[in-house]
Amino acid sequence: MKRNARKRRTPLAVKAVAASAALALGGGGLLWANFYASAHEPANQAGTGNRTKAASNRIVAITCPDVRQRLGTVPPAIQGEIDRELAGLDRQTTAFNQRLAAAGEEQAKDPEFIENSLIRLLQRSRTTVLQRIPVKITQAGGTAPGDLLDLARCTAVPAGQNDTGGRQDGGGQQDGGGQKGGGGQKGGIGGQAGNGPTAADFVDITKVRPNIRAKAADGRNASTGTFTTRCGVNANQLRNSDNVIVAPGVTNGAHHTHDYVGNQKIDAFSDNSNFLQGATSCRNKNDKSSYYWPVLRVQDGTQEADHDKLGGGKEGNVGRILTPKQVEIKYVGNRNGKVVPMPQFLRIITGDAKTTTNGLANANANWSCTGFEDRVQLTEQYPVCPRGSNVVRTFAFQSCWDGKNADSANHRAHVAFTDRNGNCANGFKAIPQLTMRLVYKVDPPAIVNGQVKNPYAVDGFPEQLHKPATDHDDFISITTGNLARKIADCVNRGRNCA
C-alpha cells in the first residue's frame, strides 16, 4: 500500500499555522478564502528545491523574490498604494521569519514542517497580493508588469548555505563597477539572533590583496570641485525603522533601524508637503536634506532600547548600536563635464538591502579600514581591522538623473551611474555625486573554531542574514536658499566649498 505522504499536523503545528495566519493578516491584507488555492510556480522553479530534507538540516531563513525589481512604470496616482502593497509583502515575509525563529522544536520533530506549515502558507499569502497589484495598475490606466505570480514562490535557506562562499570583493561600484575575487572561511549560522553574520562574512584586511583600480584621468571639461556639508554623527540618536522612500505611510517599513542626519522630521509619514518644516542637524541651515543608513551594531549581548521592538530585536537586529566617530558628506563633480543642480525632493537609494535575495547587481557599499582605504575596498565581507584602525563604510551615489522625475516606481530608474568613461546615458544629465564616508571604532571580532565571536553587522531584513553586501544608503535632496545651484556651481568651477 502506498504511504500517504500528507502528514498529520501535531497540535503545535496547527497552532503555528494559526499564528502565521494572524501575522500575515496584520501585514498583507490576506484573503483567507484563497488559503487552499495553488500558487503559480514557474517551470524553472518546479520541484522540491525548497523542501526541508532532514530535521538536522536546520532552516535559518525564508526568502522570497523582490517584487519591486519587476515593476516598470506605475501611474503616479497609485504609486503610494503600490508601495504599501509591497510593504505588505515585506511584512508577510518578516512575520513568517519570526515564526521560523521560534520553530526549532517543530523543525526537529517534523522535517517537512517548514514547507507544509510556513512556506506554502506564505506563498499563498503572496499570491493574493500579486494578483491584486496588476489589477490596480491597469485600473489606474497603466500597463501592468508581466506575470507577477511567478514571484510568489519562496525558498528555505538551510544553515551552512547562508554564507557568501567567503568571497573577497575587490573595489567599489563607484560610477563604473568593481572587481571580485575569492577565498575565505566558512562557519555556522552565526549571529546573536541566529540569523548571521557568519565567520565567512569576515576577512582580515591585512591578508587581502590590494584591489583598487587606478582612477581614470579627468576630461578637459571635468567638474573637479567638491562641496562638503557637515551634519554631525547622529549624536542625538535620531532613529526609526521606517523608510519614507520605499514605504511611505507604513510604520516599520524598513524592518531595520536607520540613523538619520540632516533633516530632523523624517519618518514614514513625512512627504514633500512638510519636508521643509523640519529642522536640520547640518551647519548649513539651507541643507535640510535627509541622509540615512542602517545602523551598525556589535552583537555583544547588549540589549538596546529596541531589543523587544519591531525593527530591532523582534526582527533579529540585536546588539549595541554604534554611533559613528565621523560622518563625511561630500558632493563631487563629473570627470567629463559640467553638472546640473539636483531637483528639489530628489530621492536616491544606493546599494540594495536585499542582495541575499536579488544578487549583487545593485550592491554598492564599500567596507574598509582606516589606513587601507586606498588599497582595499570590500563589498561581500566585513573587514577585521588591525589594532588602532577603524572600520569605514563608504558610498558613492548614482550621479545621472533622467531630467524629469524625482522618483520612480522601483526607486531606481530615474537615476543611474555613469559608464566607465564617466558618461551619462542618453537622456540623462550629470548631477553632483553624493559621497558618504562613515567611520566607526569597532573592537575586532574573533573567529574561533569556525565561529565568529562578538561580530558587528549592519541592520537588515531578517531573511537577509546581516550580509555586508546588503548595506545601503538613502538620500532625499531638500534645500533652501538656492543651495542646490550653489553646490552645482561650486563643483563646476573646480572649487572646494563647505
Side-chain angles (χ1 to χ4, degrees), residues 106-364:
E106 283 305 299
Q107 282 203 60
K109 289 180 178 179
D110 182 358
E112 296 186 350
F113 168 78
I114 300 302
E115 175 144 344
N116 290 338
S117 297
L118 295 182
I119 290 180
R120 290 180 181 176
L121 182 56
L122 175 56
Q123 290 174 166
R124 289 160 185 159
S125 304
R126 288 173 62 83
T127 296
T128 300
V129 179
L130 295 176
Q131 289 171 332
R132 204 160 52 220
I133 289 175
V135 172
K136 290 186 175 183
I137 293 175
T138 302
Q139 289 176 341
T143 301
D147 189 1
L148 293 182
L149 292 182
D150 61 358
L151 303 181
R153 187 174 180 86
C154 299
T155 304
V157 180
Q161 294 182 21
N162 64 329
D163 57 59
T164 63
R167 288 174 297 220
Q168 295 175 2
D169 182 7
Q173 190 185 3
Q174 296 191 16
D175 279 21
Q179 304 170 337
K180 298 200 171 18
Q185 52 187 327
K186 297 186 178 183
I189 59 174
Q192 181 180 328
N195 64 345
T198 69
D201 293 322
F202 292 86
V203 64
D204 182 344
I205 199 167
T206 66
K207 298 179 180 178
V208 180
R209 287 180 297 178
N211 56 21
I212 302 299
R213 294 181 301 185
K215 183 180 178 181
D218 290 334
R220 290 178 58 185
N221 296 318
S223 45
T224 59
T226 65
F227 187 99
T228 299
T229 184
R230 298 184 175 92
C231 301
V233 298
N234 196 27
N236 61 335
Q237 299 183 2
L238 178 62
R239 300 177 179 129
N240 63 51
S241 59
D242 299 343
N243 192 328
V244 69
I245 295 179
V246 300
V250 178
T251 301
N252 190 44
H255 299 279
H256 53 267
T257 298
H258 290 119
D259 269 323
Y260 289 81
V261 299
N263 200 298
Q264 303 290 285
K265 193 179 176 64
I266 302 297
D267 59 26
F269 304 97
S270 305
D271 59 27
N272 293 356
S273 68
N274 60 24
F275 282 154
L276 289 169
Q277 298 172 14
T280 181
S281 68
C282 302
R283 292 187 188 178
N284 185 333
K285 298 308 175 186
N286 287 317
D287 188 359
K288 293 176 176 283
S289 298
S290 180
Y291 309 90
Y292 61 102
W293 55 83
V295 299
L296 192 69
R297 301 185 196 240
V298 174
Q299 296 185 9
D300 59 0
T302 299
Q303 287 194 345
E304 280 282 3
D306 65 353
H307 77 276
D308 59 350
K309 295 180 173 60
L310 292 174
K314 281 191 174 181
E315 298 185 84
N317 293 306
V318 296
R320 176 167 50 93
I321 296 176
L322 299 175
T323 299
K325 287 182 56 179
Q326 186 178 4
V327 174
E328 297 179 0
I329 302 173
K330 183 183 295 185
Y331 296 87
V332 301
N334 179 283
R335 60 186 180 87
N336 273 342
K338 305 307 180 186
V339 300
V340 300
M342 287 185 176
Q344 187 77 308
F345 305 136
L346 176 68
R347 293 151 166 83
I348 308 180
I349 300 172
T350 200
D352 185 356
K354 297 182 178 180
T355 55
T356 305
T357 300
N358 296 334
L360 297 171
N362 290 314
N364 191 39

Side-chain angles (χ1 to χ4, degrees), residues 15-30 32 60-64 86-103 113-114 117-119 121-123 125-126 154 252-255 310-311 314-316 460-463:
K15 290 179 182 179
V17 174
S20 299
L23 288 167
L25 276 169
L30 179 62
W32 287 101
V60 295
I62 300 172
T63 65
C64 304
L86 298 176
L89 290 175
D90 284 338
R91 281 199 300 270
Q92 288 179 358
T93 304
T94 297
F96 279 85
N97 272 284
Q98 288 173 325
R99 179 64 192 99
L100 172 66
F113 168 78
I114 300 302
S117 297
L118 295 182
I119 290 180
L121 182 56
L122 175 56
Q123 290 174 166
S125 304
R126 288 173 62 83
C154 299
N252 190 44
H255 299 279
L310 292 174
K314 281 191 174 181
E315 298 185 84
F461 290 90
E463 76 278 8

Side-chain angles (χ1 to χ4, degrees), residues 52-65:
T52 307
K53 296 295 185 181
S56 60
N57 194 10
R58 180 180 173 189
I59 300 302
V60 295
I62 300 172
T63 65
C64 304

